[in-house]
Amino acid sequence: MSANPRTTRKHRAARRILASAAGLATLGALVAAMPASGAEEGDLAGDARHTYKPSRTVDVQLLSFNDLHGNLEPPAGSAGTVSETQPDGTVKAIPAGGVEHLATSLRKARQGERYSVTAAGCDMIGASPLMSGLFHDEPTIEALNKLDLDVSAVGNHEFDEGATELARMQNGGCHPVEGCFEKDKEFEGADFPYLAANVTNEKTGRPILKPYTVWKKNGVKIGFIGVTLEGTPNIVTENGIKGLKFHDEIETVNKYARELDRRGVKSIVALIHEGGSPASSSYNYDCDSPGAGDGISGPIVDIAKGITPKVDALVTGHTHQAYVCTVPDPAGKPRMVTSASSYGKLYTDTTLTYDRRTQDIVRTGVKSANHIVVRDQEQAKIWAPDMTSLIGRWNALAAPIAGKPQGFISADINGRGSTAPEKPLGDLIADAQLEGLAPADKGGAQIAFMNPGGIRSDLVFKASGSEGDGVVTYGEAFTVQPFTNMMNVVDLTGAQLITALQQQVSGANEASPKILQVSKGFTYTLDMTKTGAARVDVASVKLNGVALDPAKTYRVAMNEFLAGGGDGFPVFKEHKNKLVGASDLDVFNAYLAQNSSAAGPITPPAADRITVLK
């Protein structure tokens, strides 16, 4: 059997983002709000050539996934596994992911389905491994086109390289600085629409991308509204969102749901780049036990409860968690809320029962389940040879850089795959930053902090190619830290540092703590039995065994994202005497080279700097 991707390609011209005549120069390539008369011009699918005898209801298959982050190859280490609870209660880690296998899963799932639409819950690009990140995520957009993705909302990482680059991802064209990466080939851009209903141009007040789009086939119409999290400015670099305003998710979705309803589109799905945390990390956990949505917490719960009943289902993301829950809408009726983990390790298959008479979804008929993207290379040969070819082509271009050895490790050093507040790889990165920036001429750093969200993978002992076990290649180091943030060394007082520790677990970070990774010699106790800022035991905060002096000034190393107050740490913006150093990746690679050899590899840090009370 051979792969059977859709033979009728979507009309690219109808999907293109139109250049806005007004607004900032950096936004010039982004579209103003689409006129109401053109809201359905970019219909996602449709084939009126065949006439079918309609029944009262039809089942529409909605396939969805989220937070791919350019992981075209199977993610390495524990970051590439899915937890599955077994019948006896034990939990098994199952390797999953890889775009060959995602394509295989989706193409198999579509077989025999008369109505099938595929949607993404944002962060398809950004924070990507080297094979995609080195080429500004052109390989990932190409892969998504081949996957027949119908629609995606933007996530915070779609703004990593700024609004102009996001427009290029949609519209195509070669990179403005690096040009075309393949001879005689120009990047075509996405042939699916990116939606950004709640992101507007500060000057014009108009959405920078289409706020919604409508999928139609044989008289069936489903509207998709896309929003990113309102807090995007807190978690991306300032330059990436200059001139943009991010609005409330609930208000925005409700606004466009009313507009779709007025236009006769009664069936609506919201794509929301915000998520929650289920009580279990197992993908097959029942978060509706004992009651609807009882087993999930986090921002998406309140958002789901506030979104108008006109919306029939919510596809979410951002937290990289797996869940299929029913959360009551404002009318008290159950509504499906889903998320498919991250990195293409799961996909969600949702059945939407569409009533032709009312043109609405029959809520009681909505069924959903997450499925593992199983790594089966033999099946991939049958179903996804195009993806195998794509990976091989881009890997060949990246190989001269990707395969260079940087250092040696004695065992896996977990980062992204670790669920603990303090991660072994986080300690290693912080130590590298401290060592690299401690010399007086480099900044004189005494402490280093690393944001946990900036650690995108694990360091894996097993060889990924021909480099040999225990060898850390440039590509592997890049995958861990793909943002290439410049390092900063700044002055902060002891009082400001204590405030930063408190901001990890209070304010914007109280519901979902962001625990900074710390360099050697910096220790303290975190009491999670308490709430808010009280979780930090101030008396326990010490540097090299000496209590931190609130009045004393310390030299602190961190990446430019943190120094700008990113991830909910506004106190860091109060710094003084900034010195800009090398990039975080260069500092990390220099540390690996200086502190490891084949005979003396780096061992995983003990991760014993933060004492956590639960």
Side-chain angles (χ1 to χ4, degrees):
M1 188 174 189
S2 60
N4 185 26
R6 300 171 206 174
T7 56
T8 303
R9 297 302 300 166
K10 306 159 202 137
H11 299 290
R12 296 183 54 83
R15 297 265 177 85
R16 292 299 193 189
I17 301 277
L18 303 178
S20 174
L24 303 178
T26 56
L27 302 178
L30 292 173
V31 73
M34 300 299 288
S37 62
E40 295 185 25
E41 291 176 359
D43 292 336
L44 302 182
D47 189 334
R49 292 174 298 173
H50 303 289
T51 302
Y52 302 98
K53 183 180 179 180
S55 60
R56 170 69 186 266
T57 63
V58 295
D59 285 343
V60 178
Q61 179 191 61
L62 170 62
L63 300 176
S64 58
F65 57 98
N66 52 276
D67 296 278
L68 180 65
H69 291 290
N71 279 263
L72 303 184
E73 295 181 286
S78 56
T81 63
V82 172
S83 295
E84 181 181 65
T85 299
Q86 305 300 301
D88 63 0
T90 59
V91 177
K92 182 179 180 181
I94 300 176
V99 75
E100 295 166 286
H101 311 299
L102 180 60
T104 298
S105 296
L106 296 178
R107 289 167 179 173
K108 280 186 171 183
R110 292 177 187 136
Q111 289 295 295
E113 296 289 339
R114 190 167 145 209
Y115 298 89
S116 183
V117 57
T118 304
C122 326
D123 274 7
M124 294 294 97
I125 60 175
S128 304
L130 184 134
M131 191 191 79
S132 185
L134 187 64
F135 306 107
H136 300 275
D137 279 316
E138 290 183 17
T140 295
I141 297 297
E142 181 185 346
L144 293 172
N145 289 344
K146 291 178 180 293
L147 277 177
D148 286 314
L149 181 64
D150 287 305
V151 58
S152 179
V154 296
N156 55 285
H157 282 283
E158 262 79 22
F159 294 94
D160 281 350
E161 295 192 48
T164 301
E165 180 65 2
L166 172 57
R168 190 178 76 88
M169 290 294 99
Q170 178 75 82
N171 294 332
C174 295
H175 192 271
V177 176
E178 298 180 37
C180 297
F181 296 114
E182 295 183 286
K183 187 178 180 180
D184 300 326
K185 275 191 179 181
E186 181 171 313
F187 174 55
E188 295 184 354
D191 64 7
F192 55 90
Y194 263 121
L195 306 180
N198 67 330
V199 187
T200 60
N201 182 315
E202 281 185 340
K203 287 188 175 180
T204 67
R206 304 173 73 184
I208 63 168
L209 297 167
K210 289 181 68 174
Y212 63 81
T213 193
V214 180
W215 178 89
K216 292 197 302 184
K217 186 174 183 180
N218 299 326
V220 174
K221 296 190 295 185
I222 299 177
F224 289 86
I225 303 169
V227 296
T228 187
L229 70 159
E230 183 183 10
T232 293
N234 298 323
I235 53 176
V236 300
T237 57
E238 187 176 352
N239 285 338
I241 56 165
K242 189 175 181 180
L244 305 180
K245 188 171 182 180
F246 293 78
H247 301 269
D248 181 83
E249 302 96 333
I250 298 173
E251 292 176 3
T252 303
V253 171
N254 289 351
K255 170 186 174 180
Y256 287 108
R258 289 192 298 270
E259 183 171 323
L260 282 167
D261 185 64
R262 288 194 302 269
R263 294 186 59 78
V265 180
K266 308 297 182 182
S267 300
I268 302 171
V269 175
L271 308 177
I272 303 175
H273 193 62
E274 183 58 284
S277 298
S280 168
S281 61
S282 292
Y283 88 95
N284 56 342
Y285 165 69
D286 181 6
C287 64
D288 283 343
S289 178
D294 283 350
I296 188 171
S297 60
I300 197 59
V301 177
D302 288 338
I303 291 173
K305 289 179 178 178
I307 286 179
T308 173
K310 295 180 187 296
V311 174
D312 299 294
L314 279 62
V315 174
T316 72
H318 186 56
T319 57
H320 291 204
Q321 301 297 308
Y323 48 84
V324 174
C325 305
T326 53
V327 178
D329 68 16
K333 295 181 180 179
R335 178 168 54 195
M336 195 64 70
V337 180
T338 70
S339 174
S341 185
S342 62
Y343 298 174
K345 295 181 290 185
L346 296 176
Y347 73 95
T348 311
D349 191 336
T350 301
T351 299
L352 301 173
T353 300
Y354 182 91
D355 188 319
R356 288 184 181 274
R357 185 175 301 173
T358 65
Q359 298 186 333
D360 205 350
I361 299 299
V362 181
R363 284 277 193 91
T364 55
V366 177
K367 298 178 178 63
S368 190
N370 276 329
H371 301 278
I372 297 177
V373 174
V374 178
R375 298 179 189 175
D376 186 331
Q377 203 60 45
E378 290 304 312
Q379 287 294 301
K381 289 178 182 178
I382 299 171
W383 289 89
D386 55 337
M387 295 300 179
T388 305
S389 175
L390 181 150
I391 290 171
R393 202 177 85 242
W394 287 104
N395 261 337
L397 289 174
I401 296 173
K404 291 182 178 178
Q406 304 298 310
F408 302 84
I409 56 175
S410 64
D412 289 357
I413 304 180
N414 287 341
R416 194 72 183 185
S418 170
T419 57
E422 182 182 357
K423 308 173 191 305
L425 187 50
D427 285 356
L428 182 64
I429 292 170
D431 287 350
Q433 293 176 353
L434 178 61
E435 180 175 299
L437 300 166
D441 63 338
K442 302 296 184 183
Q446 300 164 275
I447 306 164
F449 290 134
M450 175 64 189
N451 57 308
I455 306 168
R456 307 306 301 186
S457 185
D458 303 334
L459 282 183
V460 179
F461 178 77
K462 185 177 180 181
S464 58
S466 60
E467 75 274 10
D469 291 347
V471 178
V472 179
T473 65
Y474 184 89
E476 291 165 342
F478 182 99
T479 298
V480 169
Q481 292 192 102
F483 299 107
T484 318
N485 276 310
M486 302 308 292
M487 290 303 303
N488 291 180
V489 185
V490 299
D491 281 354
L492 289 165
T493 66
Q496 289 170 323
L497 292 176
I498 290 170
T499 297
L501 297 181
Q502 293 170 334
Q503 287 175 349
Q504 299 176 115
V505 290
S506 64
N509 291 331
E510 182 161 7
S512 182
K514 292 185 174 69
I515 308 304
L516 295 167
Q517 308 298 287
V518 298
S519 55
K520 59 185 176 183
F522 192 88
T523 58
Y524 71 99
T525 297
L526 195 60
D527 188 348
M528 297 304 290
T529 65
K530 298 181 179 179
T531 59
R535 289 169 167 172
V536 176
D537 180 357
V538 174
S540 71
V541 183
K542 297 179 180 179
L543 177 60
N544 299 322
V546 178
L548 211 64
D549 184 347
K552 184 178 178 180
T553 296
Y554 297 87
R555 291 293 284 167
V556 185
M558 64 185 76
N559 61 50
E560 61 184 341
F561 171 67
L562 270 183
D567 269 353
F569 293 95
V571 70
F572 284 148
K573 292 196 291 185
E574 300 172 10
H575 65 256
K576 296 179 180 179
N577 299 324
K578 179 173 74 173
L579 184 146
V580 178
S583 75
D584 53 5
L585 181 59
D586 286 345
V587 168
F588 186 54
N589 283 334
Y591 182 86
L592 293 174
Q594 184 67 31
N595 293 276
S596 70
S597 65
I602 292 173
T603 59
D608 56 0
R609 300 164 191 181
I610 305 173
T611 301
V612 181
L613 305 179
K614 297 181 180 181

